[in-house]
Amino acid sequence: MDSSNNHLVLVILLTIALVLGVRAAHLRRTIPSEEEKKEMERQLKAINKPPIKSFKTEQGEIFDCIDIHKQLAFDHHLLKNHSVQLKPTSVPKWITCHNNAQKVNPLQLQLKEISCPHGTVIVKRTTIQDLINSQHLKSTGFNIPRHVGNNIDLTGHHFATADYEYDNIAGVQGNINLWDPQVSQDQISLATMAIAGGPIIEELSSISVGWMVNPLLYKDHIHLYTYWTADGYNKTGCYDIRCPGFVQVSKRIPLGVLLQPVSIYNGTQKEMDLSLHQVITSRVSRVNVGYWPQSLFIASGLVKGADLASWGGQVYSPTTEKSPIMGSGHFPKEGFGKAAFVNNIHILNGKGEALIPQIYTIKTHESSPNCYKAKYVHDDDEPWIRAVYYGGPGGCIGK
């Protein structure tokens, strides 16, 4: 795959989840038939494993403490004989950089008054509405084009990112600035860090992690999210743990958790440090939340290393509405304290070594520069060695 097509493929990988998620908003208004309800109830029994303990939050969400060996992940046919890996066999020695923002403490990511016992993991209970959304994510009719070309429909999608487009990426790291942008019911705004790889589009694999404001999936405000696929978003993949695959190991931090506190414009800046490495482990604020076993990606290119890595922001809006704000809602030129950022950008090479990317290896991409921009900062641009400012006020319409 030549370099001119690499970024286009990355765009497909990082925006497909948005297409699926937003198009599900239209189905949310439909009422399932009695037969469909019975089928959903059957599926719910399979998805929601018997809890050891349960909690209900102020937002009305229910979280369950599930036996770590009986979680949904092990319903996947490739994980039937999988042994839980409580922590990576090795943790990369990420390079510490100067930092002006306050990191979110792992304790702040825990749900209040919720404590799961030893040997369990915390997961959000799936509802019928969640199931309707998840099923629609799989059946919206949005298909990845079998050939990379100009026929790719990214209408309504906007992004501003810094991308590393080289082979043999074994992992990535970044500290993502936390904001809580306002969006309408059918819109999405997110900050992400992602890796992707694969020789052909049918075998493309990708994993994304970051924060997202998506009223369909999370009702309101900013939530921790993940998304993955092992086959170009054809049959595999989902958000968080809405399908078998991701192995949760933390009994404290669930995927989909509400993130608080957030940054204040021209005030205190909050950030969350994230990393993806090894098989692929998701670390949030230095805590191992869980991982995607290597066996999920045996048939794809990600096992041998990713080809692409990306840090930045994305939004989606129906073309009849003005696109929402990205990040803080301010352009990168305003700088620290006002513009959203991802700092402490690192990659992990095939030898497991954490590296600061060479300056020339990272390029910025802006799909709608009138509404959103990205600015890559490095070395002489204090306070960080490698970072990207991104975002904007939005307002694009009909694109």
Side-chain angles (χ1 to χ4, degrees), residues 162-167 169 307-311 347 357 361-362:
D163 304 323
Y164 178 89
E165 304 180 31
Y166 288 84
D167 295 336
I169 305 168
D307 307 311
L308 307 157
S310 183
W311 303 260
I347 60 167
T361 61
I362 292 182

Side-chain angles (χ1 to χ4, degrees), residues 359 377-386:
I359 292 175
V377 296
H378 49 79
D379 292 334
D380 294 333
D381 298 302
E382 292 293 343
W384 304 304
I385 296 178
R386 299 287 185 275

Side-chain angles (χ1 to χ4, degrees), residues 46-334:
I47 292 172
N48 292 322
K49 305 305 180 184
I52 305 299
K53 200 173 181 180
S54 298
F55 305 87
K56 189 172 184 179
T57 69
E58 295 176 354
Q59 291 75 31
E61 296 176 322
I62 298 177
F63 287 85
D64 294 324
C65 302
I66 304 296
D67 185 326
I68 191 170
H69 300 290
K70 296 179 180 179
Q71 59 181 292
L72 180 62
F74 302 119
D75 285 358
H76 197 291
H77 69 281
L78 293 175
L79 303 181
K80 293 297 184 182
N81 299 314
H82 181 78
S83 297
V84 176
Q85 184 175 317
L86 293 177
K87 59 182 181 180
T89 55
S90 63
V91 178
K93 294 182 179 179
W94 301 107
I95 303 166
T96 302
C97 300
H98 180 65
N99 192 9
N100 287 345
Q102 294 182 5
K103 290 185 178 181
V104 172
N105 189 294
L107 294 176
Q108 294 175 302
L109 299 179
Q110 295 185 56
L111 297 167
K112 293 181 180 179
E113 301 180 356
I114 292 182
S115 177
C116 284
H118 180 71
T120 67
V121 293
I122 185 168
V123 298
K124 181 179 177 296
R125 185 180 298 181
T126 300
T127 65
I128 284 184
Q129 189 61 59
D130 292 332
L131 199 56
I132 291 173
N133 296 340
S134 295
Q135 288 179 342
H136 195 52
L137 294 178
K138 295 286 187 180
S139 60
T140 56
F142 184 92
N143 296 315
I144 293 280
R146 291 299 175 244
H147 302 282
V148 177
N150 296 326
N151 61 335
I152 298 170
D153 182 11
L154 295 176
T155 303
H157 295 270
H158 311 273
F159 58 89
T161 59
D163 304 323
Y164 178 89
E165 304 180 31
Y166 288 84
D167 295 336
N168 204 25
I169 305 168
V172 289
Q173 182 188 41
N175 297 348
I176 297 183
N177 193 202
L178 301 181
W179 294 89
D180 192 8
Q182 299 297 306
V183 303
S184 72
Q185 193 66 26
D186 293 335
Q187 295 179 328
I188 295 175
S189 185
L190 64 84
T192 188
M193 176 178 75
I195 56 175
I200 57 176
I201 199 163
E202 293 91 339
E203 297 177 11
L204 284 170
S205 300
S206 76
I207 295 174
S208 303
V209 61
W211 60 254
M212 176 186 290
V213 179
N214 183 334
L216 175 66
L217 292 180
Y218 305 118
K219 294 184 180 179
D220 55 18
H221 299 300
I222 171 179
H223 290 255
L224 173 69
Y225 92 95
T226 64
Y227 199 93
W228 72 279
T229 184
D231 62 356
Y233 303 92
N234 183 24
K235 295 181 179 179
T236 67
C238 61
Y239 287 102
D240 304 337
I241 52 170
R242 293 171 185 254
C243 67
F246 183 82
V247 178
Q248 176 87 11
V249 298
S250 174
K251 66 176 185 177
R252 297 186 295 164
I253 302 176
L255 297 182
V257 67
L258 178 68
L259 298 175
Q260 293 178 325
V262 297
S263 301
I264 299 172
Y265 179 76
N266 204 26
T268 303
Q269 297 301 293
K270 297 292 184 177
E271 66 179 35
M272 174 176 59
D273 61 310
L274 300 170
S275 63
L276 296 170
H277 60 89
Q278 214 180 28
V279 280
I280 298 285
T281 301
S282 178
R283 285 172 62 87
V284 180
S285 296
R286 307 294 177 180
V287 174
N288 292 320
V289 175
Y291 62 96
W292 293 268
Q294 191 177 51
S295 56
L296 294 174
F297 303 97
I298 290 290
S300 68
L302 206 57
V303 169
K304 298 179 181 179
D307 307 311
L308 307 157
S310 183
W311 303 260
Q314 297 177 46
V315 299
Y316 170 84
S317 178
T319 56
T320 54
E321 300 179 43
K322 291 184 178 180
S323 61
I325 66 175
M326 179 190 292
S328 69
H330 294 261
F331 287 123
K333 65 181 181 181
E334 294 193 37

